Amino acid sequence: MGLDFSVVPKFFDILLLGAFWTIAITVSSAILSFFGGIVFAVITLYAPWFIRLPFRAFEWLFMGTPLLLQLFLIYFGLVQIGIDLPAFVAGVIGLGLHFAVYNSELIQTAIIAVDRGQMEAARTLGLSRGQALRKVVIPQAVRDVIPPIGNNMIALLKDSALVSVIGVSELTLSAQRAIGRTYRPFEFYIVVAAFYYVINLGMEAVLRRIERRSQLSR
Amino acid sequence: MTASQPFIEVRQARKCYGEIEVLKDISLTVDRGQIVAIIGPSGSGKSTLLRAINDLDPLTAGEVWLDGVRVNKTLPHRQYEKHINQMRQHIGMVFQHFNLFPHLTVRDNVTMAPKLLKGISDKEADRLAEEQLAHVGMLERIDYFPSQLSGGQKQRVAIARALAMKPKLMLFDEATSALDPELVEEVNLVMKKLAEEHMTMIIVTHEMDFAASVCDRVIFMDGGVVVEEGPPELVFRNPTQDRTRNFLRKHLEGAK
C-alpha cells in the first residue's frame, strides 16, 4: 500500500485551524515564559529566604518532572480542588511556567554577568536597587540571552504538541482526528511535520530580527 | 546646621576590609566651589575615600556631611535607602570606565535618571539632554549608542549624564585613566569648563599637570592617610614630606 496524499486536502481547513492553535498556544506560552523567566530570576537572586526557599521547591517541580505530568496536574488535578481551567489556559500555564524555569536559569546567569559598574552608575544617579535592576541591569541581561532564549522557544513550539493530550485542538490533535476518519497516519503525520517545520522557519525569522535589533545596543 | 560648617566634611573616616585598614582616620573639608585633587600611589585609599563620599563603599566608621546633611546617617535599612538615594541625586560621579548604559542611546543615558526620579516630561527631558550634551560638545551624537563612540566621547557623555541631575558636587574617579593619550585632552577641557563654572569637584587623578592647573588644593594620600595637603604650587613644588617627594619623583620619571 503506497502513500496517497489525495485524502489530505479535504482536511486542510482542520489542519490550518490546528496550526492556528499551535501558533496561539506557542506565542502565549512564549510570552508567559519570557516574563515569568525574568520574575523567577529576580526571585532566585534577590528575594528573601522565606520566598526563595518555597520557590525553589516549585522550580524543582517544573524542572524535575515530565512536562506531560505537569499538564495532567494542571488540567485534571486542579479540577479536584475546584480550579477548572479551560484546556487552552491550562496548556499555556503548563508550557509557560515550564519554560519560564529554563529561561530563568539563563537570565540569572546573564544578570550576574552584567558589569558591576552598571549597577554602580545607576545607584550613583540616585536610582534604588529595584529601579537600577529594572532600568539598567535586566534589560542588558535579557538582551544578552535572546539567542539561547530563542532556542528554548523553538523547543517550546515542539513541546506544544503535548497539549493535544489535554484536548487542545492544535496541530497534532487535528492530525489524529483526521487519521481517525481516514486511517492514513503516515500521510497526515508527514503533512503535519511539514506544518511544524514551516512554523519553525517563521519563528526563527522573527527571532533573528529581534537579535539583529538588539545588536546595536551592546 | 551652622553657617560655619564646611560644604563637604569627612570626619574621622575609617574603612576596613577584614584585617586590612584602607582608610585610617581621615578628615577633610571642601568648600563650596572648591576643586580638590586627590593624588597618591595605587592602593593608597584615594578611590575608596571618593567612593565613601556617596556611600558606594560604606565607611566602617566616620561621618560624611554634604551641605549640612549627613550622607551616611544611621537609619533603619529601608529609610536609609530612601535617604541615600536622595543624597546621591546631589552627588554626581564619573568613573574610570565610563559605565554608560550600553542599551540606551546617548539621549536616554542622560535623561533616564531625571525622568525616573524627577518626573520631568519627555519634552523637558529632550531639552535637558540637548542642553547637557551641548555643554560637553556631544550634541551631534545625541541619538548614537555608546558602542558607536570613542572613549573620550563616552566620558563626556558620562559627565553630561551626571550633570543632568544638577548635582551640588561632582566626584571624578580617575576619569581619564582608561583613555588613549590623545583623547585625554577633550575630557580635561570639559572638566576645566566645569571648574570655571565653580562646580565643586573632588578629583582622583594621576595627572599631575591637570591637577596643578585646575585644582585649588591637592591632597596626597599614601597607606590610607593624608600625608600632605595644600595648594598645588606648594605640594608639587615644595612638598614637606619625604613620601610626597618620592611619589612625585617616581611619577615624574614614569612620565618621561
Side-chain angles (χ1 to χ4, degrees):
Chain A
M1 184 170 138
L3 289 175
D4 177 11
F5 286 95
S6 63
V7 293
V8 175
K10 240 177 70 188
F11 292 89
F12 213 70
D13 47 349
I14 293 175
L15 294 181
L16 271 182
L17 196 63
F20 166 78
W21 283 111
T22 288
I23 293 169
I25 203 158
T26 301
V27 170
S28 311
S29 314
I31 291 168
L32 176 62
S33 79
F34 178 75
F35 290 105
I38 294 172
V39 172
F40 292 0
V42 170
I43 290 175
T44 308
L45 290 177
Y46 302 107
W49 65 270
F50 56 87
I51 296 174
R52 209 169 54 230
L53 290 185
F55 178 74
R56 192 166 300 160
F58 161 87
E59 228 178 15
W60 179 87
L61 180 76
F62 273 93
M63 284 194 110
T65 61
L67 177 55
L68 188 60
L69 183 73
Q70 293 159 22
L71 292 170
F72 284 160
L73 271 171
I74 293 168
Y75 187 59
F76 300 116
L78 289 183
V79 176
Q80 266 178 272
I81 55 167
I83 306 172
D84 189 3
L85 297 169
F88 181 83
V89 175
V92 169
I93 291 174
L95 277 169
L97 293 184
H98 184 86
F99 281 91
V101 170
Y102 284 97
N103 287 345
S104 161
E105 301 269 305
L106 295 169
I107 294 167
Q108 280 169 47
T109 317
I111 286 176
I112 293 166
V114 171
D115 183 60
R116 235 188 61 200
Q118 292 291 312
M119 177 58 97
E120 283 186 355
R123 295 305 307 271
T124 300
L125 289 165
L127 272 70
S128 70
R129 193 179 161 86
Q131 287 170 324
L133 278 174
R134 190 158 50 82
K135 289 284 186 178
V136 175
V137 176
I138 289 171
Q140 291 181 56
V142 167
R143 176 202 69 193
D144 292 342
V145 290
I146 286 172
I149 283 188
N151 293 340
N152 277 355
M153 295 307 95
I154 285 170
L156 190 156
L157 165 66
K158 292 184 285 184
D159 283 353
S160 72
L162 283 172
V163 300
S164 60
V165 298
I166 57 170
V168 179
S169 305
E170 44 68 75
L171 256 180
T172 305
L173 188 58
S174 306
Q176 277 164 353
R177 287 192 177 136
I179 292 161
R181 310 241 300 264
T182 59
Y183 305 104
R184 288 275 174 192
F186 208 5
E187 286 87 343
F188 279 102
Y189 284 140
I190 286 175
V191 169
V192 160
F195 267 83
Y196 275 110
Y197 184 69
V198 170
I199 297 172
N200 217 327
L201 286 181
M203 230 170 121
E204 273 178 42
V206 172
L207 289 170
R208 260 201 308 276
R209 274 186 80 125
I210 297 173
E211 261 174 62
R212 248 206 319 272
R213 280 190 51 184
S214 71
Q215 276 308 315
L216 196 58
S217 56
R218 60 183 60 238
Chain B
M1 197 200 315
T2 56
S4 61
Q5 190 170 15
F7 190 52
I8 299 152
E9 183 171 15
V10 177
R11 282 186 205 153
Q12 297 176 309
R14 280 184 65 232
K15 172 77 180 179
C16 307
Y17 290 110
E19 297 283 283
I20 306 157
E21 202 176 6
V22 288
L23 296 179
K24 298 168 186 164
D25 197 24
I26 288 193
S27 295
L28 79 107
T29 62
V30 178
D31 295 330
R32 197 188 290 268
Q34 215 174 31
I35 296 145
V36 176
I38 307 178
I39 60 168
S42 48
S44 59
K46 54 192 194 303
S47 278
T48 310
L49 176 61
L50 194 75
R51 291 162 58 91
I53 291 173
N54 63 359
D55 205 48
L56 217 49
D57 277 341
L59 290 173
T60 310
E63 299 178 5
V64 179
W65 293 75
L66 169 66
D67 206 6
V69 183
R70 183 161 169 199
V71 175
N72 60 345
K73 261 184 198 167
T74 319
L75 285 172
H77 178 72
R78 240 166 230 280
Q79 282 167 302
Y80 182 70
E81 282 294 303
K82 256 193 165 150
H83 163 75
I84 195 66
N85 293 337
Q86 199 62 43
M87 290 306 294
R88 282 178 179 150
Q89 294 191 24
H90 302 300
I91 309 174
M93 188 167 200
V94 175
F95 301 87
Q96 183 177 2
H97 295 290
F98 330 126
N99 298 350
L100 286 183
F101 306 130
H103 61 300
L104 301 178
T105 60
V106 165
R107 180 197 304 272
D108 293 341
N109 263 277
V110 173
T111 58
M112 188 261 280
K115 269 170 134 171
L116 193 64
L117 302 173
K118 296 184 173 173
I120 62 172
S121 69
D122 287 355
K123 229 173 117 189
E124 286 171 301
D126 279 340
R127 265 207 15 233
L128 180 67
E130 282 158 20
E131 175 196 332
Q132 294 302 334
L133 288 167
H135 197 228
V136 300
M138 287 297 296
L139 187 55
E140 69 277 20
R141 295 280 191 271
I142 191 164
D143 290 315
Y144 283 50
F145 280 98
S147 61
Q148 298 166 302
L149 305 179
S150 74
Q153 292 174 328
K154 282 182 194 170
Q155 197 60 298
R156 285 190 281 153
V157 172
I159 293 171
R161 175 177 70 179
L163 291 174
M165 288 303 289
K166 314 274 176 183
K168 297 176 177 174
L169 159 71
M170 285 286 286
L171 306 173
F172 290 86
D173 191 4
E174 301 193 23
T176 55
S177 296
L179 294 174
D180 291 334
E182 73 271 19
L183 302 177
V184 169
E185 196 49 33
E186 59 185 88
V187 175
N188 281 348
L189 281 174
V190 169
M191 289 168 70
K192 273 186 188 150
K193 200 167 159 188
L194 287 181
E196 282 157 17
E197 292 160 5
H198 305 292
M199 172 62 80
T200 312
M201 302 199 270
I202 304 177
I203 302 169
V204 167
T205 185
H206 287 295
E207 281 188 85
M208 303 306 150
D209 291 339
F210 180 73
S213 66
V214 172
C215 298
D216 305 311
R217 190 146 60 99
V218 175
I219 295 173
F220 172 67
M221 281 180 69
D222 192 14
V225 296
V226 173
V227 176
E228 184 158 1
E229 67 172 302
E233 53 275 17
L234 278 182
V235 176
F236 287 130
R237 302 254 174 79
N238 251 327
T240 58
Q241 303 294 315
D242 281 345
R243 277 201 278 180
T244 319
R245 269 195 287 276
N246 283 338
F247 171 75
L248 289 171
R249 194 176 55 235
K250 269 188 206 146
H251 204 87
L252 219 58
E253 281 163 9
K256 272 176 190 164

